[in-house]
Amino acid sequence: MSNMDCQYEMLSEAVDDLRQQGYTDELMITEEGILKHTVPLDPSLFTIDSFHRFEGPSDPADMSIVYAISSDDLGLKGLLIDGYGSNSREVIEKMVKRLPAHEEHEIVQPDRPIVPGAIPKY
């Protein structure tokens, strides 16, 4: 991913960028679990690839979170968006607890040290 967890300033920016990264499947979360259209999907088949939280500019109670999730087994990548904190629905909290999260992010190291102020020539 180009952005690590919680690195966007606005929800719309996160959604646009994540969709460009392929998180385009229309997924919903209901009392029954994760749905694609009307088909229920097993949440244990999904991984949380990243999550991003947002606070409203004038009201801390206006918070939201977007989860970028994927399932290699199902060939799906989509977004789950909901309120965060006290506004979050119970079902989201239950589902997210069941979704395994990546323990580490892949970090790309440069092949040569970069001297501050110098432009590397490759």
Side-chain angles (χ1 to χ4, degrees):
M1 300 220 111
S2 62
N3 283 53
M4 301 295 270
D5 295 338
C6 302
Q7 295 298 310
Y8 297 100
E9 291 185 28
M10 297 184 317
L11 177 61
S12 60
E13 176 189 2
V15 169
D16 290 345
D17 187 50
L18 292 167
R19 284 188 177 151
Q20 288 179 5
Q21 293 179 44
Y23 292 90
T24 56
D25 287 300
E26 297 292 328
L27 303 176
M28 293 178 49
I29 194 146
T30 68
E31 297 295 329
E32 292 78 39
I34 297 174
L35 300 179
K36 180 175 182 187
H37 304 293
T38 58
V39 179
L41 305 171
D42 181 356
S44 68
L45 297 176
F46 285 86
T47 299
I48 298 173
D49 298 323
S50 68
F51 66 93
H52 310 278
R53 297 184 316 176
F54 304 92
E55 272 191 36
S58 61
D59 185 359
D62 183 20
M63 296 188 295
S64 60
I65 189 165
V66 59
Y67 294 94
I69 65 171
S70 62
S71 171
D72 290 336
D73 293 340
L74 300 173
L76 298 175
K77 288 175 75 173
L79 303 175
L80 298 178
I81 303 170
D82 196 37
Y84 184 77
S86 60
N87 293 335
S88 182
R89 293 182 293 170
E90 264 184 57
V91 68
I92 291 284
E93 292 175 17
K94 289 177 186 173
M95 298 296 289
V96 169
K97 286 179 184 176
R98 293 179 58 195
L99 294 173
H102 289 302
E103 293 182 13
E104 297 178 25
H105 290 283
E106 183 179 324
I107 299 174
V108 179
Q109 298 292 330
D111 11 336
R112 295 184 239 170
I114 299 174
V115 178
I119 299 174
K121 296 178 183 177
Y122 291 100

